[in-house]
Amino acid sequence: MWHLNLSIDGDARETLSTQLRNALRGRITDGTLRPGTRVPSTRQLATDLGVSRTVVVEAYEQLCAEGYLTSQRGSGTSVADSAHAGVASALTADETPEPAVWDLRAGGTDVSTFPRQDWIRSVGAVLRSAGSRELGYAPPSGLPPVRRTLAGYLGRVRGVRVRPEHLMVTSGFAQGLALLCRVLRDQGHEAIGVEDPGHPGEWAFIADAGLRPVSVPVDREGIRVDELAATGVRAVLTTPASQFPTGAPMSRRRREQLIDWARAVDGYVVEDDFDAAFVAPAQRMPALQSVAPDRVVYAGSASKVLAPALRLGWLAAPTALADPIERVRAGWDIGCSGLDQLAFARLVDTGAFDRHLRRLRAEFQRRGRAVRQHVARHLPGVAPLDASGGLQTYLVLPRWCTEESMVAAARRRSVLVRGGRFYALRADDRPPALVVGYAGVRGAELGRGLAGVAAAYRDVTARHATRVDVRRAADSDRRTGLTA
């Protein structure tokens, strides 16, 4: 039974059939009814509008003759594909089809790995057992059984020390960061330290939330705590498990220094644990929060490990922040989808989530090895930073190879990739780099993308060699007196 929201006026001068025809034609031409949209049968629409079926039959026949509707026996009536020309969006740069493009930009997610059957079984089990409490409004901080499951899982896998009542379920990491920025601002913070290089989207998000992101450099051990102390901030956002985008894990020594800093300034460390699941267990250290739950806010989400569409995240904050965060959250919304929370908890409880993560970790480590092997064979002079996990590889380029030339050359080879300075908050003399993401591509696509990067590097190398030869020839001419 298809429903169509239309109204006609029995007292109008136009006939009912003309009114109906004009109303339908207007909905089609203005794009409200899209090509392929099913419309009710003549009998059903006549009943809905309280008119004779003949009125609807006459309107439908005229619109079919004009090319606005199409009718097929057994398939009903629908808006014709050629009913109107689509209006291009002002934001669409080019409507012409592009050749195949391989996207190696960091930040992608391979949603094809989503465990659909496990999720379907979890959702089905939740719906079969759901009562009025489960189908009602969820508490803003999350359903109690879900928080218990999540607290147990985070403790088992990441060593997070949190009581279920102090754990908040959020709409992804973004909402958790927004809540935290609001509370920090209310408590007098004006700025927050951020890793440089780091995530430009988070810097913009922090600025929009009313805090100033302050650049703190990183090295092979993680964030530079000495540089952090010099900024004067009392809060910092960091990725200890696998620094984004370099992939460097924070060393034990640096972790101890960071906690000592937080205690000395009476401040907080925000631990973004977005890709710890992809670090090999032998190299994976417990969450930083496990060392100092009174100074570290632990944040994670299901976006990278399941799918961004779920909008499920979690926040474990020290008591001094947990209560004000909960008060702010209560004024923002009425919580995340309770059914999604319960389905996720069942995925964890049945062990399906652990099995999924093992498969995912093995797959992404395989892709990381493929990138490093390809670089070693086909990009001489390019050095990947050592990393035990992550979803991207940070490639340090030779000094003569500019990031701009590599990005442009790769684009000409139908490969999208970003230079290291895209992730830099401040300009400095850091070596040129390329950040190759492999989370959104796999198999043959990854191979073709890497081949395009190698070809782009050969192009840039050849142009550089030509310029060097020209300069050498000019120098030789000057020395021999052949120049004018």
Side-chain angles (χ1 to χ4, degrees):
M1 292 295 185
W2 304 96
H3 180 70
L4 183 63
N5 185 19
L6 287 175
S7 60
I8 56 178
D9 184 2
D11 297 327
R13 291 185 177 181
E14 293 180 320
T15 65
L16 296 177
S17 182
T18 299
Q19 289 184 57
L20 179 57
R21 186 171 65 248
N22 290 341
L24 276 169
R25 188 190 294 112
R27 294 287 182 88
I28 294 171
T29 55
D30 68 13
T32 303
L33 292 177
R34 305 295 301 166
T37 301
R38 289 284 299 273
V39 296
S41 66
T42 55
R43 189 183 306 279
Q44 183 62 53
L45 187 57
T47 300
D48 292 343
L49 296 177
V51 298
S52 166
R53 184 186 177 197
T54 304
V55 170
V56 182
V57 170
E58 182 181 337
Y60 274 20
E61 288 179 347
Q62 182 61 35
L63 290 172
C64 285
E66 295 174 5
Y68 288 97
L69 295 179
T70 180
S71 181
Q72 294 182 349
R73 184 179 299 275
S75 299
T77 304
S78 59
V79 178
D81 291 338
S82 59
H84 64 84
V87 179
S89 167
L91 300 179
T92 303
D94 188 359
E95 291 295 331
T96 59
E98 287 195 12
V101 173
W102 294 280
D103 194 345
L104 299 185
R105 293 172 295 185
T109 301
D110 187 357
V111 294
S112 69
T113 63
F114 184 77
R116 298 173 186 268
Q117 293 305 314
D118 287 331
W119 185 258
I120 288 171
R121 282 190 285 269
S122 295
V123 170
V126 166
L127 290 176
R128 284 191 295 272
S129 62
S132 58
R133 179 179 299 177
E134 289 77 15
L135 294 175
Y137 290 108
S141 292
L143 291 166
V146 175
R147 292 158 80 182
R148 285 195 296 271
T149 291
L150 191 53
Y153 170 78
L154 293 175
R156 170 171 59 88
V157 174
R158 299 295 294 125
V160 173
R161 295 159 57 190
V162 62
R163 297 172 60 87
E165 58 269 24
H166 294 157
L167 185 65
M168 175 178 287
V169 179
T170 61
S171 295
F173 172 78
Q175 187 183 46
L177 182 59
L179 288 165
L180 186 59
C181 287
R182 166 66 181 275
V183 170
L184 289 175
R185 196 183 63 203
D186 290 347
Q187 294 188 356
H189 291 255
E190 297 179 353
I192 182 171
V194 294
E195 295 173 331
D196 188 1
H199 199 306
E202 290 182 355
W203 304 335
F205 193 89
I206 289 168
D208 289 341
L211 293 176
R212 178 170 51 89
V214 176
S215 166
V216 183
V218 301
D219 59 20
R220 294 178 182 272
E221 291 189 72
I223 194 166
R224 290 277 303 276
V225 180
D226 56 339
E227 298 275 2
L228 172 63
T231 65
V233 301
R234 294 175 40 246
V236 63
L237 173 62
T238 182
T239 50
S242 176
Q243 200 278 327
F244 180 86
T246 67
M250 188 178 294
S251 68
R252 294 186 185 277
R253 181 176 69 93
R254 198 63 60 81
R255 287 168 174 248
E256 293 171 358
Q257 292 174 349
L258 187 57
I259 296 302
D260 290 343
W261 166 85
R263 291 193 170 120
V265 301
D266 189 25
Y268 297 102
V269 177
V270 183
E271 180 177 14
D272 180 2
D273 205 36
F274 77 102
D275 67 349
F278 307 116
V279 178
Q283 285 81 38
R284 190 193 314 152
M285 285 188 278
L288 187 64
Q289 190 268 2
S290 66
V291 180
D294 60 324
R295 289 295 166 190
V296 180
V297 181
Y298 179 87
S301 80
S303 295
K304 299 299 183 187
V305 294
L306 286 175
L310 288 180
R311 307 312 307 141
L312 278 176
W314 38 87
L315 201 65
T319 305
L321 293 177
D323 292 341
I325 287 175
E326 192 164 2
R327 286 194 295 271
V328 172
R329 175 72 183 277
W332 280 15
D333 61 23
I334 51 177
C336 307
S337 163
L339 293 178
D340 283 347
Q341 291 183 52
L342 290 168
F344 176 69
R346 183 169 180 82
L347 203 69
V348 173
D349 288 336
T350 59
F353 189 55
D354 283 68
R355 291 192 296 272
H356 167 69
L357 289 185
R358 280 195 292 272
R359 292 192 298 267
L360 206 59
R361 181 165 54 249
E363 169 63 18
F364 284 132
Q365 288 182 340
R366 184 193 64 78
R367 296 186 199 181
R369 287 193 299 271
V371 172
R372 292 188 290 274
Q373 290 168 0
H374 190 89
V375 170
R377 292 171 184 164
H378 303 288
L379 281 79
V382 176
L385 290 186
D386 293 333
S388 58
L391 302 173
Q392 68 286 321
T393 299
Y394 193 91
L395 305 176
V396 180
L397 302 172
R399 282 286 185 179
W400 56 261
C401 182
T402 67
E403 294 178 4
E404 295 77 12
S405 62
M406 269 300 298
V407 171
R411 184 64 184 86
R412 288 192 291 271
R413 296 282 183 170
S414 299
V415 179
L416 301 179
V417 69
R418 290 191 173 114
R421 286 188 176 84
F422 176 84
Y423 304 94
L425 182 56
R426 64 177 177 180
D428 57 20
D429 192 34
R430 71 188 71 195
L434 209 61
V435 180
V436 175
Y438 46 82
V441 290
R442 57 176 181 160
E445 288 185 357
L446 178 58
R448 295 188 188 102
L450 292 175
V453 171
Y457 186 65
R458 289 193 296 271
D459 294 342
V460 174
T461 302
R463 286 196 294 271
H464 172 71
T466 300
R467 288 194 296 269
V468 170
D469 289 342
V470 169
R471 285 197 299 269
R472 286 175 177 171
D475 291 342
S476 176
D477 289 346
R478 281 194 295 270
R479 286 193 300 271
T480 58
L482 296 178
T483 57

